[in-house]
Amino acid sequence: MKILITDGIETSGADILLNAEFELTQKALTPNELLDVIGAYDAIIVRSATKVTKEVIDRGKNLNVIARGGVGLDNIDVEYATRKGITVLNTPKASSISVAELTIAHLLALGRFFPISSIAMRHREWPKKEFSQGIEITGKTLRIIALGNIGSEGAKRALGLFMNVGAYDKYVHTTDIPGVKMVSKDELLCLLDYITLHVPCDKEAGPVIIREDFAKIKNGVILINCARGGVVNERDVLDALNSQKVAFAALDVYEHEPPRQDEYDLIMHPRASGTPHIGGSTIEAQDCVGIEIAQKVAAALHAYSHENAFA
């Protein structure tokens, strides 16, 4: 059986598929090139760059498996693929620790002016006085939106930093993490110092935090989004920074990636920290992603082959 890998895979993952005697093609393709070749493959493995649209699925006459090495599935038309009987896979746990650690890195960096002071130092400046009002995180209140794999890992690390941790989750109302308090959304917005988001983007529902929510939050909150672009409106975040309702903001994800030129006002803000969607970009996470997605794809294709053998 033939597998197309368009956005790369770690050697550890590729070896699993090769040892299982699948035929691999690893190649970056334009959307039109993908349409031209997809019909020859039984499975496709992508990351975030390749879009598996309805048209791609229709052209994939032999497709049985669509796999995304990563958490989100927003670049795959999951509903249409499922209706066509195609198995859709992802790796929801493989990069959880890496994304959680990046969240904590932003959390620590913002209150100590790391982004802007580092830039100043590179310009041969010595802004010791300007950045003398840092913030300790010990004893501060962190609120986490969504306590899934990443949110849970972030909560554990925040507890280790002696923060007061609470979480709001639309679907989860209890937790077995000692020290984490589940709260309602209204409670979430009260008396917090930090807020982190770890939810998928629901384009129909819109942002999880809207402009009216910012009005309920106390002045000086620190906001971190390492989830998905669109879960909070970037213009609202910029306005909240300018009004000092939000003291600092960090983003690893954006509504458009890469951001459009007119969207850099937020990223360039002196009290903002931006990273280019690198939450899962660690050596360890990439290796885990490659292994997990390869194992899942191999199992799914073997199951499909077995079913057809006895059909």
Side-chain angles (χ1 to χ4, degrees), residues 3-14 17 24-29 44-50 67-70 286 289-291 293-294:
I3 301 173
L4 176 63
I5 302 169
T6 58
D7 301 331
I9 189 172
E10 293 300 297
T11 301
S12 52
L17 296 171
L24 304 187
T25 299
Q26 297 195 57
K27 187 177 183 181
L29 299 169
I44 180 172
I45 299 176
V46 303
R47 293 298 303 269
S48 57
T50 300
R68 157 85 157 93
Q286 295 306 303
V289 166
I291 291 171
I293 203 63

Side-chain angles (χ1 to χ4, degrees), residues 39-175:
Y41 293 92
D42 301 282
I44 180 172
I45 299 176
V46 303
R47 293 298 303 269
S48 57
T50 300
K51 312 299 181 187
V52 186
T53 62
K54 179 178 181 292
E55 190 176 5
V56 171
I57 293 167
D58 282 337
R59 293 280 192 98
K61 59 185 179 182
N62 293 314
L63 268 184
N64 297 306
V65 176
I66 299 171
R68 157 85 157 93
V71 179
L73 290 167
D74 32 326
N75 58 321
I76 298 171
D77 193 329
V78 178
E79 182 181 350
Y80 188 68
T82 303
R83 276 195 276 132
K84 297 269 287 188
I86 298 171
T87 299
V88 180
L89 304 169
N90 67 339
T91 57
K93 294 183 179 181
S95 60
S96 297
I97 289 175
S98 292
V99 179
E101 288 186 355
L102 181 68
T103 301
I104 297 297
H106 275 301
L107 185 149
L108 289 165
L110 287 170
R112 300 306 301 270
F113 306 102
F114 271 25
I116 191 169
S117 63
S118 177
I119 292 170
M121 290 286 290
R122 292 184 184 190
H123 285 87
R124 302 180 187 278
E125 298 172 11
W126 184 250
K128 180 177 174 66
K129 184 175 180 180
E130 292 92 322
F131 303 130
S132 63
Q133 299 294 307
I135 302 169
E136 291 184 358
I137 64 171
T138 298
K140 299 298 191 300
T141 297
L142 168 68
R143 294 293 187 242
I144 298 171
I145 296 184
L147 203 61
N149 295 315
I150 297 170
S152 295
E153 294 294 344
K156 295 171 188 175
R157 284 152 180 78
L159 288 167
L161 293 168
F162 303 101
M163 301 188 79
N164 299 314
V165 182
Y168 162 73
D169 195 303
K170 185 177 180 180
Y171 304 103
V172 178
H173 306 293
T174 61
T175 177

